[in-house]
Amino acid sequence: DVKVTQSSRYLVKRTGEKVFLECVQDMDHENMFWYRQDPGLGLRLIYFSYDVKMKEKGDIPEGYSVSREKKERFSLILESASTNQTSMYLCAGSTGDEMGRNQPQHFGDGTRLSIL
Amino acid sequence: ILNVEQSPQSLHVQEGDSTNFTCSFPSSNFYALHWYRWETAKSPEALFVMTLNGDEKKKGRISATLNTKEGYSYLYIKGSQPEDSATYLCAFVPNTGNQFYFGTGTSLTVIP
């Protein structure tokens, strides 16, 4: 069974902290994604990666960066956390070229991040 | 940012009822349409990926249709069961750029 694991279900940090959200997949997927989900809005793509050390900006990359040093791990970094980054963060993986646009995505359970 | 709309926003049905809901998306630049089911406290689960106009897909009691020319997809659930209670998300994928555009979902509650 495919598995995408996010390091924390719940996380509380303070404004200005550097925050790392980790995601690991065991499916050998080329593509990995970070989304955030806020009330009344659909999932919004922050960044994705289609290969090791490769990354592309999504819709809302401001205030975030990512790292993909190994195929199975994709990290989301909040350089200096702010209260407007309080949200649910979801990681996903998929196979295929061109961002795997015609392939299903496999999601982690999400990290609910609160910035105080 | 493209507009993907799902309706209704929420829905309550009795066990055994059949139901359907809609995902509307731009009719131009279509590449793919994804459907996911997201149960509370779990991760979103892929249901269908649809790419061809007129496509129909089925998984058990759940099926979906696609009309790319008019920009909509229907998801049907036949004989709803309490375990079908979840939020159903669609995601539009255009043929330009690198984006997935998710709707806000339809929240389905099946009352035993």
Side-chain angles (χ1 to χ4, degrees):
Chain A
D1 206 13
V2 299
K3 192 75 175 168
V4 175
T5 303
Q6 295 184 227
S7 52
S8 306
R9 287 299 294 267
Y10 300 94
L11 203 54
V12 180
K13 296 291 183 181
R14 296 214 172 269
T15 304
E17 280 192 70
K18 190 170 186 176
V19 181
F20 293 85
L21 301 184
E22 306 287 349
C23 176
V24 176
Q25 52 105 352
D26 66 357
M27 303 166 292
D28 202 35
H29 281 180
E30 297 86 353
N31 307 300
M32 294 188 77
F33 307 82
W34 275 107
Y35 294 92
R36 63 179 281 178
Q37 204 250 343
D38 298 291
L41 299 175
L43 294 178
R44 292 182 292 167
L45 183 63
I46 304 170
Y47 268 98
F48 74 95
S49 168
Y50 54 90
D51 202 350
V52 175
K53 297 190 188 293
M54 307 305 289
K55 61 185 179 185
E56 293 282 347
K57 293 179 181 179
D59 250 352
I60 49 165
E62 297 79 19
Y64 302 95
S65 62
V66 289
S67 171
R68 194 166 180 202
E69 296 296 318
K70 294 184 178 181
K71 191 175 186 179
E72 66 270 18
R73 185 179 296 270
F74 191 36
S75 303
L76 180 70
I77 304 156
L78 285 66
E79 297 291 344
S80 177
S82 64
T83 54
N84 63 12
Q85 292 178 308
T86 292
S87 187
M88 165 74 91
Y89 290 87
L90 283 159
C91 175
S94 74
T95 59
D97 296 332
E98 298 184 338
M99 199 189 178
R101 291 184 292 166
N102 62 353
Q103 298 296 320
Q105 295 191 10
H106 301 278
F107 285 86
D109 288 339
T111 296
R112 193 165 290 281
L113 174 65
S114 295
I115 307 295
L116 304 179
Chain B
I1 297 178
L2 298 177
N3 200 27
V4 178
E5 293 186 357
Q6 292 189 245
S7 62
Q9 188 174 355
S10 66
L11 193 54
H12 290 71
V13 301
Q14 291 291 138
E15 182 175 353
D17 287 352
S18 293
T19 187
N20 66 86
F21 23 92
T22 307
C23 173
S24 301
F25 51 85
S27 57
S28 58
N29 299 323
F30 177 87
Y31 187 89
L33 193 284
H34 294 224
W35 280 103
Y36 294 87
R37 173 170 60 202
W38 194 359
E39 295 179 65
T40 303
K42 294 187 177 180
S43 54
E45 172 198 358
L47 290 173
F48 307 113
V49 178
M50 309 178 80
T51 56
L52 298 175
N53 184 44
D55 222 0
E56 288 189 34
K57 299 224 173 186
K58 189 173 181 182
K59 186 176 182 177
R61 293 179 292 98
I62 304 177
S63 60
T65 61
L66 179 67
N67 184 324
T68 61
K69 295 189 186 309
E70 296 183 39
Y72 64 85
S73 176
Y74 292 140
L75 191 80
Y76 300 91
I77 302 178
K78 185 177 178 182
S80 303
Q81 300 296 308
E83 58 265 30
D84 295 329
S85 297
T87 296
Y88 291 83
L89 303 175
C90 67
F92 167 73
V93 187
N95 61 11
T96 55
N98 294 315
Q99 286 293 351
F100 286 78
Y101 294 99
F102 280 81
T104 53
T106 292
S107 173
L108 174 67
T109 302
V110 182
I111 303 162

